[in-house]
Amino acid sequence: MKSEINKVIGLHGAVLAILFVLQFVLPAYHHGNLARIMVLATYAIGYNLLFGYTGLLSLGHALFFASGLYGMGLGMTQLGLGTGPALLLGVLAGACIGALIGALALRTEGVAFMIVTLMFAQAGYLTILYFGTYTRGDEGFVIQQADRLLFGLDLSDPSVRYFAAFSIFCVAFLVMLGVLRSRFGKVLIAIRENEERAMMLGYDVMRYKLAAVILSATLSALAGAGYGLLFGYVGASFASVQYSIFPLLWVLLGGAGTLLGPLVGTVFMFYLIDLSSGITTAYMLIAGVVLVCLTLFAPQGLMGELRNRFWRWLP
Amino acid sequence: MDFGPYLMLATLEGAVTAAVLALTASGLALVFGVMRVVNVAHGEFFMLGAVLAWWVTSLMEGYAALGFALALLIVPVLVAALAALADITVLKRLSYDPERTIVATIGILYILQQVTLMTYGPDARPVTPPFNTRLALPWVEMTENGLSLYWPWGLSITSYKLAVIGAAVVVLLALWALMTRSKLGLMMRATEQDREMALAFGIPVERVYALVFGLGAGLAALAAVLIVPIQQAHYLMGGEPLLLSFIVVIIGGLGSLPGTVLAALLIGLSDGIISVFFSPTLAKILATLLVALVLVFRPQGLFGARRA
């Protein structure tokens, strides 16, 4: 037992260390990519908390990502907030919308939950288009470099940006590790495994699920706000169905219900799409094929298979 | 134009939308009702119908009516065969687990859409309607001599649009007859009610599933062939019918055919009317929110009595 904890700390510490060191060795192109991947992996971690650990499949997480993105972006352009408060506003917006959607959608389950979340996200996407005077719709708006300063650091500078992305990822990663080691995380897993039994044991399942939705939405919004801030662009395409499908794809590929799965899945999928978009414009074909193959042949994902075969202690 | 004729025009346009929507949505409802599978790729089967209709009619260059008739016959069968194949190779192997089939159909959605993009390309292409006479419509007005008919400028519909409405009614009646009056329909209903029991009575449930999945996709494709002379074929055209069909199927009570048709009328007409007088985006926001709230507070649908 003691050695397992050491292994867990060793492996995950090593992953973080590698991510930290990579910024000094990677060429510029992959350096930029990895910064992007770490922010997107934060989004995937948020998704994984709900899908992988609580067993709730949402098809509307783009709403939470977008509420972070737009909470931050509109806070800057419309309310004239500084970088720090705008970032905070984005995360807060995600938490509030998460609480609202969670309170409504959790009254349903299974397929109905998937469709309800999908519909709310679609309504959110359309609302962004509808208020085009402020959001500039599909076209989106750019966040000026002058506004992207945090504690005097210029977030558009590649190495600062990498370090900021790394910090965001670390926050989400450590929060998840903390959740998994806590009683709260154990109850979530119990709900995933057998909701009725968890209820019979006296847990208020509804409250735990709502808390999971809110935390998941908050992490997704953090990723959204960070993405807008680091890469300087806010657009409606980030609220579209495609961005609800992506985290599902990343988490399924990496392994739902594993701590490293979201990162592994995002890295693989990002480079798969990056490589194939050089060959054809129909790069989403890869996403489709991967989705079908995963559900057919490897529903546990990469880290899940690894856990089944070799590392049974993987959290 | 006055308000009255304007409203009538909006209603007629809405009726065309409703007719096509009823066909598409009943395909989705059939698949959900019998198989308990939410087919997210349904819109792409619609899109394939339109694209294949363009392909067939362009092969028959110069014979617009003949080419269109041929498309009407061949395309739904082709799409149905493709869907049945997808059922056998993918969905069957997932043993129709609800959540995993949704993920798989999302994958199928992207595969169909992107393969179309690679082969057919990103252009929207028109299909010539087989016949297209403009029919002016009369309206009544109050004059000194009492009520009299007149023909307001702009109030008209094409004969093709009327034909679309008629064709949709015929197909829906045929579907109803198939489900309630034929042996095949009996097998489908038996499978829907109790899969195990149907199996015990010797119904080839897996073949029924493949057939139902094909039939559902075929209905979507048929709807697309009917609408493509009005709308043009494009590889991204599947998104909107998918969303609207979802809305219709949920409001109509998941999986019930009469409820679905009724809801299609409601949504099609109100979408037409709201879009004419207000913003189409606002109409869609309201519709999607309505659906989500219906699912949360009244999961049996507005018209349905059964549990989903």
Side-chain angles (χ1 to χ4, degrees):
Chain A
M1 191 64 202
K2 184 79 181 152
S3 70
E4 281 191 0
I5 293 174
N6 286 338
K7 277 185 197 164
V8 169
I9 292 175
L11 176 68
H12 295 89
V15 168
L16 289 184
I18 289 171
L19 283 176
F20 183 76
V21 172
L22 272 178
Q23 63 174 314
F24 304 113
V25 288
L26 281 179
Y29 177 66
H30 297 284
H31 186 271
N33 277 352
L34 198 57
R36 227 171 259 269
I37 287 172
M38 283 190 292
V39 180
L40 294 176
T42 306
Y43 181 23
I45 287 176
Y47 189 82
N48 192 29
L49 170 65
L50 201 60
F51 173 55
Y53 289 109
T54 322
L56 290 168
L57 204 166
S58 145
L59 288 179
H61 256 54
L63 180 63
F64 305 137
F65 188 78
S67 46
L69 188 67
Y70 276 94
M72 184 278 301
L74 292 179
M76 274 185 180
T77 55
Q78 303 296 323
L79 306 176
L81 294 179
T83 311
L87 187 67
L88 213 61
L89 181 70
V91 175
L92 209 64
C96 292
I97 291 183
L100 178 70
I101 301 297
L104 287 169
L106 283 175
R107 296 170 60 113
T108 64
E109 52 189 17
V111 171
F113 182 80
M114 298 161 82
I115 298 177
V116 167
T117 47
L118 178 71
M119 288 297 165
F120 277 128
Q122 189 65 21
Y125 169 64
L126 292 168
T127 309
I128 290 172
L129 293 186
Y130 187 68
F131 290 102
T133 23
Y134 307 106
T135 62
R136 312 218 26 185
D138 267 330
E139 199 182 312
F141 55 88
V142 171
I143 293 178
Q144 298 303 326
Q145 196 181 342
D147 293 329
R148 289 158 63 192
L149 294 169
L150 194 62
F151 308 123
L153 294 170
D154 181 3
L155 291 173
S156 59
D157 173 68
S159 52
V160 176
R161 180 163 69 192
Y162 187 97
F163 190 73
F166 178 70
S167 318
I168 290 176
F169 178 75
C170 276
V171 168
F173 195 75
L174 294 176
V175 164
M176 264 321 284
L177 194 61
V179 165
L180 287 183
R181 303 216 68 87
S182 73
R183 224 178 75 108
F184 173 64
K186 302 253 187 308
V187 176
L188 291 187
I189 293 175
I191 293 174
R192 177 190 71 190
E193 292 302 321
N194 191 333
E195 187 170 337
E196 278 172 16
R197 189 179 299 166
M199 216 181 289
M200 296 296 274
L201 287 172
Y203 291 107
D204 187 347
V205 169
M206 204 59 194
R207 253 183 48 207
Y208 278 94
K209 283 208 269 188
L210 185 59
V213 172
I214 294 174
L215 187 55
S216 169
T218 311
L219 288 176
S220 306
L222 172 68
Y227 199 87
L229 206 55
L230 296 186
F231 302 101
Y233 171 71
V234 175
S237 61
F238 290 111
S240 64
V241 182
Q242 199 164 324
Y243 270 82
S244 294
I245 305 295
F246 273 138
L248 172 67
L249 187 62
W250 295 327
V251 168
L252 272 176
L253 178 60
T258 61
L259 191 54
L260 282 174
L263 178 68
V264 173
T266 314
V267 170
F268 264 79
M269 208 60 220
F270 190 93
Y271 274 101
L272 215 53
I273 287 183
D274 191 54
L275 291 177
S276 57
S277 64
I279 303 166
T280 163
T281 48
Y283 59 88
M284 280 303 285
L285 179 63
I286 305 293
V289 173
V290 171
L291 269 178
V292 172
C293 290
L294 276 174
T295 43
L296 278 179
F297 306 115
Q300 303 285 323
L302 293 171
M303 297 311 283
E305 294 293 328
L306 210 58
R307 170 159 63 188
N308 285 349
R309 303 213 175 142
F310 311 107
W311 298 341
R312 299 214 48 94
W313 44 268
L314 216 59
Chain B
M1 238 192 303
D2 295 330
F3 178 77
Y6 204 47
L7 182 68
M8 182 168 165
L9 192 65
T11 314
L12 280 172
E13 294 295 328
V16 178
T17 314
V20 174
L21 187 56
L23 282 182
T24 318
S26 55
L28 193 67
L30 192 68
V31 169
F32 183 79
V34 177
M35 302 166 69
R36 299 278 124 178
V37 162
V38 177
N39 179 17
V40 185
H42 196 66
E44 303 315 306
F45 291 124
F46 180 91
M47 178 276 291
L48 271 187
V51 167
L52 287 177
W54 173 84
W55 182 64
V56 170
T57 48
S58 69
L59 283 183
M60 302 286 293
E61 190 85 59
Y63 304 94
L66 190 66
F68 187 77
L70 207 61
L72 210 51
L73 285 177
I74 298 176
V75 169
V77 177
L78 277 180
V79 174
L82 185 72
L85 188 72
D87 173 73
I88 295 168
T89 50
V90 179
L91 300 185
K92 191 173 120 188
R93 300 186 48 172
L94 299 175
S95 36
Y96 303 102
D97 174 79
E99 299 202 342
R100 286 173 69 198
T101 47
I102 288 199
V103 178
T105 53
I106 293 173
I108 294 173
L109 179 162
Y110 281 121
I111 293 175
L112 293 178
Q113 186 191 79
Q114 300 291 316
V115 168
T116 310
L117 173 63
M118 286 167 81
T119 51
Y120 170 85
D123 312 320
R125 299 178 196 185
V127 170
T128 330
F131 47 86
N132 206 18
T133 348
R134 186 160 286 283
L135 306 170
L137 295 168
W139 189 255
V140 285
E141 78 180 332
M142 234 8 190
T143 58
E144 299 114 36
N145 315 325
L147 288 176
S148 71
L149 283 178
Y150 77 114
W151 274 259
W153 189 83
L155 178 59
S156 65
I157 191 166
T158 62
S159 56
Y160 183 72
K161 284 184 182 173
L162 286 181
V164 169
I165 299 175
V169 173
V170 171
V171 173
L172 285 171
L173 284 177
L175 181 66
W176 175 78
L178 174 77
M179 289 304 285
T180 55
R181 295 285 183 273
S182 74
K183 193 170 171 208
L184 197 61
L186 189 66
M187 282 160 125
M188 288 185 199
R189 281 181 292 137
T191 312
E192 175 174 2
Q193 277 177 11
D194 194 329
R195 185 177 191 273
E196 307 282 304
M197 197 54 95
L199 209 55
F201 273 86
I203 291 175
V205 167
E206 288 190 337
R207 248 186 281 167
V208 171
Y209 275 14
L211 192 82
V212 165
F213 201 71
L215 185 61
L219 280 168
L222 182 65
V225 178
L226 285 174
I227 200 69
V228 72
I230 303 172
Q231 238 191 15
Q232 298 201 341
H234 185 249
Y235 83 103
L236 283 178
M237 73 190 294
E240 183 155 324
L242 176 70
L243 187 68
L244 284 174
S245 305
F246 259 120
I247 294 173
V248 162
V249 169
I250 289 164
I251 290 184
L254 292 165
S256 102
L257 272 183
T260 302
V261 174
L262 207 59
L265 271 179
L266 181 78
I267 295 290
L269 284 177
S270 57
D271 187 67
I273 293 169
I274 297 177
S275 306
V276 166
F277 291 105
F278 302 98
S279 135
T281 315
L282 186 63
K284 287 207 186 68
I285 294 176
L286 293 179
T288 41
L289 280 181
L290 175 69
V291 165
L293 295 176
V294 163
L295 264 180
V296 169
F297 294 107
R298 211 183 137 77
Q300 70 273 37
L302 288 184
F303 305 119
R306 285 182 323 186
R307 294 284 309 166

